[in-house]
Amino acid sequence: RASQISATPKALDICYERFFNKFEKRYDEVFNLDIVDYCVFHAPYNKLVQKSFGRLKYNDFLRYPDREEYKECQEYREIPKEKTYESRDISKQFLKLYKRSIQPSRSP
């Protein structure tokens, strides 16, 4: 069961890293989730899609840990990535940050 739980975020991490590397090489500009208009996920249930957005935000945190929006996340900076796949705390924290980051675009 543990390997199933970590398989999806691990695959997402790999795909996201490959994507931002290609983007930055092609366009010679810094990539992060904030510049994305939309994402498309295949998921067997809705909660997995929500967790995936949190995971992308976590990956941005690893790349840009000194950004103001991550000031409350510094305790996660030194945790090895392999140990984060089953962490509910990390999942909840970064999903909360993601939801906060999209709030202005959802307001009327």
Side-chain angles (χ1 to χ4, degrees):
R1 173 112 170 106
S3 63
Q4 288 178 322
I5 292 171
S6 64
T8 299
K10 189 180 287 189
L12 184 61
D13 288 352
I14 291 167
C15 289
Y16 191 58
E17 182 177 349
R18 286 179 182 167
F19 181 81
F20 69 66
N21 285 333
K22 284 182 181 181
F23 179 92
E24 290 177 350
K25 185 176 181 181
R26 183 174 188 178
Y27 297 106
D28 195 30
E29 81 182 69
V30 176
F31 180 85
N32 65 64
L33 189 57
D34 296 338
I35 66 170
V36 174
D37 291 330
Y38 61 89
C39 295
V40 178
F41 294 106
H42 166 75
Y45 55 95
N46 191 34
K47 190 114 180 152
L48 185 59
V49 173
Q50 293 176 10
K51 289 180 178 184
S52 294
F53 280 110
R55 191 69 193 181
L56 296 179
K57 200 69 171 168
Y58 169 74
N59 277 282
D60 280 353
F61 161 71
L62 293 179
R63 296 183 72 211
Y64 313 108
D66 296 325
R67 287 177 65 178
E68 180 66 23
E69 69 181 306
Y70 301 127
K71 68 182 176 196
E72 62 195 55
C73 303
Q74 295 307 305
E75 65 190 272
Y76 305 120
R77 201 171 181 172
E78 301 302 321
I79 299 173
K81 204 173 204 180
E82 288 296 319
K83 294 191 182 231
T84 66
Y85 294 123
E86 297 175 35
S87 170
R88 287 183 179 204
D89 289 340
I90 289 175
S91 183
K92 286 180 184 178
Q93 178 66 36
F94 288 95
L95 180 56
K96 182 173 79 173
L97 283 175
Y98 172 73
K99 286 180 178 180
R100 193 181 307 153
S101 74
I102 63 169
Q103 211 53 34
S105 66
R106 290 186 160 185
S107 298

